[in-house]
Amino acid sequence: DAGVIQSPRHEVTEMGQEVTLRCKPISGHDYLFWYRQTMMRGLELLIYFNNNVPIDDSGMPEDRFSAKMPNASFSTLKIQPSEPRDSAVYFCASSLFSGEQYFGPGTRLTVT
Amino acid sequence: GNSVTQMEGPVTLSEEAFLTINCTYTATGYPSLFWYVQYPGEGLQLLLKATKADDKGSNKGFEATYRKETTSFHLEKGSVQVSDSAVYFCALSGDTGRRALTFGSGTRLQVQP
């Protein structure tokens, strides 16, 4: 298996622009998670899905962030409009109900 | 709510030294406990886990024992190598149905030859 795939690996954008991060979970996994890693706040959950349905979005910072999972093999995290404080590494992870989470390589976002 | 506290780093050791990274947690019920490792520029990899009290997780020479009486899950390795240099995260998953992980702040380990 190729593992969790994220794209792009690096994204540099200007403040105010829309950013879309993409994730392909491991085939057969029914949970998908989006985390954000920053120096100040460490690793924090943004949102997670079960069977493509959002279960907990309490970590989504504000309305500028949105996440979708249109099918079992694809999810997006969108930021519109982006701000410099959104600069971070965004990780996607997937798992089975009783299993450990497998993380993708992350997307490093820089907003200037 | 759930929380995880790790010892602050960085931890600098010489090759073949003994490693301990402390981790304590706060959670209701019986969480599952994990150690993840992050190498530079990469995502997190599961190192080991324990799902109930007194369980010992082990992998690649690393061990951690789930101690409910002290709410701890300390990571140990008897003889570290330069290749163990990385950031180590302690994490928990609650038993209340919420599947997301709560992470500690991470501990950077640097092993010198």
Side-chain angles (χ1 to χ4, degrees):
Chain A
D1 198 318
V4 176
I5 299 173
Q6 290 187 248
S7 64
R9 292 293 309 275
H10 302 273
E11 177 78 37
V12 180
T13 191
E14 293 183 348
M15 182 175 62
Q17 296 298 305
E18 178 180 292
V19 175
T20 299
L21 311 182
R22 297 172 175 80
C23 175
K24 176 179 171 56
I26 293 173
S27 177
H29 282 189
D30 52 359
Y31 282 82
L32 183 139
F33 306 82
W34 283 100
Y35 293 91
R36 180 171 67 176
Q37 184 178 37
T38 62
M39 289 295 292
M40 292 297 295
R41 300 175 64 90
L43 270 161
E44 52 184 351
L45 176 76
L46 298 176
I47 186 172
Y48 78 94
F49 296 83
N50 177 217
N51 291 324
N52 313 337
V53 176
I55 302 300
D56 183 348
D57 65 355
S58 59
M60 296 287 265
E62 48 199 271
D63 291 346
R64 297 185 297 106
F65 285 68
S66 62
K68 294 182 179 180
M69 193 165 185
N71 57 62
S73 59
F74 184 65
S75 177
T76 60
L77 178 68
K78 185 175 295 186
I79 308 172
Q80 166 63 19
S82 57
E83 296 182 2
R85 61 191 167 125
D86 301 331
S87 298
V89 181
Y90 292 80
F91 288 104
C92 177
S94 70
S95 76
L96 295 169
F97 174 76
S98 59
E100 61 265 24
Q101 294 182 23
Y102 292 83
F103 282 74
T107 295
R108 181 174 297 276
L109 173 64
T110 303
V111 183
T112 61
Chain B
N2 297 338
S3 67
V4 177
T5 302
Q6 282 182 243
M7 63 185 289
E8 291 202 12
V11 174
T12 302
L13 296 173
S14 298
E15 206 165 21
E16 299 184 1
F18 184 86
L19 169 70
T20 298
I21 300 178
N22 290 338
C23 170
T24 57
Y25 67 90
T26 301
T28 56
Y30 300 89
S32 295
L33 302 174
F34 306 85
W35 277 100
Y36 280 82
V37 58
Q38 185 178 30
Y39 298 101
E42 299 184 10
L44 280 72
Q45 302 173 27
L46 179 68
L47 182 58
L48 53 84
K49 68 177 181 180
T51 57
K52 60 183 187 295
D54 299 324
D55 265 3
K56 177 185 284 188
S58 62
N59 186 26
K60 299 181 181 179
F62 291 90
E63 294 182 340
T65 301
Y66 187 166
R67 301 287 189 199
K68 188 160 179 63
E69 64 275 15
T70 54
T71 62
S72 65
F73 193 53
H74 304 321
L75 182 68
E76 297 182 336
K77 187 175 185 183
S79 176
V80 294
Q81 306 299 312
V82 172
S83 57
D84 294 326
S85 298
V87 181
Y88 292 81
F89 292 90
C90 185
L92 70 81
S93 176
D95 68 348
T96 57
R98 187 173 187 268
R99 304 302 304 165
L101 292 169
T102 300
F103 286 93
S105 56
T107 302
R108 181 175 300 277
L109 170 66
Q110 184 168 353
V111 181
Q112 298 176 336

